[in-house]
Amino acid sequence: MNKIVVNIGRFLIFITLQVLICNYISLFHFLNPYVYIFCLLFLPIEVPKVCQYIIAFFTGLIIDFFALSYGVHTFACLILMFVKPYLINRLNGQKSVKEKDFQIFENKPFKWMLIYVVTLTFLHHLLVVFLEVFSFHSFFISLSVVVGNTILTTTLILAIHYIISPTTKKTSSSSTKH
Amino acid sequence: MSNLIDFLKKYFHNILLVILLLLSFILIFNNSHYSRFKLKTIENSIVSPIYKSWNNLLYYFDLRKENDHLKGQNLLLLKQLSSNFVINTDSIYSQNTPNLQGKSVRIFDYISANVIYNSINKTHNYIIIDKGYDDSIQVDMAVFSPEGVLGIVNDVSAHFATVMSVLHPNTMINAKLMPAAQVGTVSWEGGDPDHVYLSYIPQHTEVNIGDTVFTSGYSNIFPKDILIGFVNDIDKKSNDSFIKIKIKLSVDFSNLNSVFVVKSIYKEEIDQLKANFINE
């Protein structure tokens, strides 16, 4: 129950943050971080898939309304949601995701976190940028935007993650004790 | 039948995903006016009000930039004032040089600057501004703010300049008392940073409290008609041939921000003439 409230609050905060602050950022005139995907990345994996897709759809839709880019973010969010479990499976190796572990993101090493966030962020940004432009005409310019944006968003997301989850150290130390 | 239900249960999320992906694709590629119009109405009723109130808030953060724009615009307008020009039509000189006839010649130019240091409580008060000789500021240029006269440039470095403010015993400004149209000299006598004295006004002049004092324009440092202050008190001694008039400064020296520096283009020429005049 508590987790549900936390996640709903997270969605509200991050969508507000995205719409009211991050959409106004344009670093070097073209970089614009999409921090809102934080709440999609860290949505607990045991939420039913149907719910996950619906959440992703509406999150993208709201962002689209505010960014005046109909459907672009919606599409990217859905794809992100679809890829997410496969990526986690792959990163975890043999271990199955289906073990009901609520703190799936909270005692992972930094490298795991980095690969996870970079991969999904890159995918999301790639889709957003190329669907918005919708041509491969200025391919390398678009790609540089994607890469720049990915670096920016990843930095922000990892920073936020390590700031708002101070329990990381506790859980890791307790797990080493056992 | 049960097979079908099992199938749906197992793959429902995949079906949903495909449906939602199709929906978003429709959103992306549907350019029909009607659907765009419907989306626009949602946008106008929800998104626009949010953006509007948020922008009202953000507006305050841009005030500084906005201010700079306005300062720039003020400077531009100031430069276009007709009192900066001498029109040559009626001078004897211009009759002999037809190419100058009817043309106006600029005699004053302006540079905008900001105050970075200012004192009012010392016996010799100075102002420091953030422009120096790199911005073509020179010694003896006049400085004024939109409210009135501030002082005269005293020392210049590359990026900064010291201004001897009106509140300095050595600052003498040639002033004109209106509406009596008498010319005198404004100087400060220490102490009160709000008041200066206007001297050398003849005894017979009609002065009223509240009369205005402007720069006279005779000194070739200040352009004419820049506000100095208002008559506050009149000291008429019968044995003296001049009246001493106390003036309340129009500028609040405790709160200075953006200023203009006056560049008098023919100052050197006039000064040279004056020097010859003294040598004789």
Side-chain angles (χ1 to χ4, degrees):
Chain A
M1 187 60 202
N2 193 20
K3 283 280 164 190
I4 296 173
V5 175
V6 166
N7 270 290
I8 291 174
R10 212 187 250 174
F11 269 93
L12 289 178
I13 289 168
F14 274 93
I15 290 174
T16 317
L17 185 76
Q18 178 65 42
V19 166
L20 296 188
I21 294 168
C22 293
N23 277 355
Y24 286 87
I25 297 174
S26 53
L27 217 60
F28 311 121
H29 301 296
F30 64 91
L31 294 185
N32 181 13
Y34 296 120
V35 177
Y36 77 95
I37 60 169
F38 181 93
C39 47
L40 296 177
L41 290 182
F42 294 102
L43 188 71
I45 199 83
E46 64 271 14
V47 173
K49 276 201 170 167
V50 177
C51 289
Q52 287 196 23
Y53 292 142
I54 290 172
I55 288 169
F57 180 78
F58 281 105
T59 309
L61 202 65
I62 291 169
I63 299 297
D64 270 337
F65 267 121
F66 280 96
L68 311 186
S69 55
Y70 304 104
V72 171
H73 285 274
T74 317
F75 187 82
C77 285
L78 283 169
I79 296 291
L80 185 147
M81 253 342 179
F82 174 71
V83 173
K84 187 180 143 185
Y86 295 100
L87 181 71
I88 291 175
N89 259 340
R90 201 171 168 82
L91 283 172
N92 280 349
Q94 298 298 321
K95 273 185 272 174
S96 166
V97 203
K98 276 173 187 140
E99 55 181 68
K100 300 275 180 197
D101 183 10
F102 250 115
Q103 298 183 327
I104 190 160
F105 301 111
E106 295 200 351
N107 40 22
K108 295 287 184 227
F110 180 76
K111 199 181 157 192
W112 191 97
M113 246 13 252
L114 186 70
I115 295 172
Y116 174 69
V117 175
V118 167
T119 315
L120 287 183
T121 309
F122 183 76
L123 178 73
H124 175 270
H125 289 9
L126 193 77
L127 286 169
V128 166
V129 170
F130 279 97
L131 279 177
E132 252 178 357
V133 178
F134 208 72
S135 74
F136 293 95
H137 187 66
S138 48
F139 181 79
F140 287 103
I141 293 171
S142 301
L143 199 67
S144 67
V145 172
V146 172
V147 171
N149 256 344
T150 306
I151 293 168
L152 190 63
T153 310
T154 308
T155 317
L156 282 172
I157 284 178
L158 285 177
I160 293 168
H161 174 70
Y162 283 111
I163 287 166
I164 69 171
S165 59
T167 52
T168 318
K169 271 191 176 173
K170 269 183 203 167
T171 50
S172 63
S173 63
S174 64
S175 64
T176 48
K177 269 178 200 170
H178 287 302
Chain B
M1 191 60 200
S2 67
N3 271 350
L4 181 67
I5 291 168
D6 278 351
F7 176 82
L8 278 178
K9 265 186 184 171
K10 202 175 174 188
Y11 293 104
F12 180 64
H13 60 268
N14 285 343
I15 297 165
L16 183 77
L17 176 67
V18 172
I19 292 169
L20 292 178
L21 282 178
L22 278 175
L23 259 174
S24 55
F25 247 92
I26 291 168
L27 277 173
I28 296 172
F29 297 109
N30 190 341
N31 284 322
S32 85
H33 284 295
Y34 181 67
S35 58
R36 279 286 140 117
F37 178 74
K38 274 195 143 179
L39 290 171
K40 273 268 181 275
T41 51
I42 297 173
E43 214 177 276
N44 287 338
S45 54
I46 302 166
V47 176
S48 305
I50 293 174
Y51 268 146
K52 199 180 170 188
S53 47
W54 182 245
N55 272 325
N56 278 339
L57 194 69
L58 289 183
Y59 177 73
Y60 289 98
F61 296 103
D62 282 336
L63 280 183
R64 199 192 171 85
K65 212 192 280 170
E66 194 74 25
N67 237 340
D68 289 343
H69 280 309
L70 285 176
K71 274 183 212 163
Q73 202 171 24
N74 273 345
L75 186 69
L76 214 69
L77 290 173
L78 200 62
K79 283 182 179 182
Q80 287 169 0
L81 280 180
S82 61
S83 63
N84 298 332
F85 298 97
V86 171
I87 295 163
N88 275 326
T89 37
D90 47 23
S91 78
I92 302 163
Y93 175 68
S94 67
Q95 284 170 7
N96 301 328
T97 50
N99 59 333
L100 269 177
Q101 198 149 17
K103 270 189 192 167
S104 54
V105 175
R106 179 179 282 281
I107 51 172
F108 287 112
D109 204 355
Y110 300 88
I111 302 150
S112 79
N114 284 315
V115 171
I116 57 171
Y117 167 84
N118 172 33
S119 73
I120 57 168
N121 49 12
K122 309 216 165 64
T123 52
H124 297 64
N125 291 302
Y126 290 97
I127 301 165
I128 299 179
I129 56 173
D130 65 350
K131 294 265 170 78
Y133 58 67
D134 281 1
D135 300 287
S136 75
I137 284 180
Q138 289 158 6
V139 173
D140 277 354
M141 282 184 171
V143 181
F144 69 99
S145 80
E147 290 93 45
V149 168
L150 291 184
I152 296 163
V153 175
N154 181 44
D155 193 11
V156 189
S157 69
H159 305 292
F160 300 98
T162 319
V163 178
M164 202 161 75
S165 96
V166 174
L167 309 178
H168 188 292
N170 294 352
T171 311
M172 304 278 181
I173 295 167
N174 218 318
K176 186 171 60 182
L177 181 68
M178 291 303 279
Q182 283 292 341
V183 175
T185 304
V186 164
S187 60
W188 187 58
E189 300 194 345
D192 183 5
D194 280 336
H195 295 94
V196 289
Y197 288 93
L198 174 64
S199 31
Y200 306 118
I201 296 291
Q203 192 67 253
H204 61 81
T205 318
E206 228 179 81
V207 192
N208 296 312
I209 289 174
D211 281 359
T212 341
V213 180
F214 295 104
T215 55
S216 66
Y218 293 165
S219 68
N220 74 62
I221 292 176
F222 278 103
K224 66 179 178 189
D225 293 342
I226 296 177
L227 189 61
I228 297 175
F230 304 97
V231 174
N232 190 275
D233 194 17
I234 303 154
D235 181 14
K236 250 184 187 171
K237 281 177 197 153
S238 52
N239 58 352
D240 205 346
S241 55
F242 296 114
I243 335 171
K244 200 170 171 190
I245 300 169
K246 195 177 181 187
I247 293 165
K248 179 161 189 348
L249 288 168
S250 60
V251 181
D252 176 10
F253 272 82
S254 61
N255 181 21
L256 297 178
N257 204 343
S258 80
V259 299
F260 298 110
V261 183
V262 185
K263 185 180 183 179
S264 174
I265 290 164
Y266 293 104
K267 185 174 180 301
E268 271 176 36
E269 215 173 304
I270 297 167
D271 281 350
Q272 209 159 13
L273 278 177
K274 274 189 182 171
N276 294 342
F277 175 68
I278 291 160
N279 287 341
E280 268 177 24

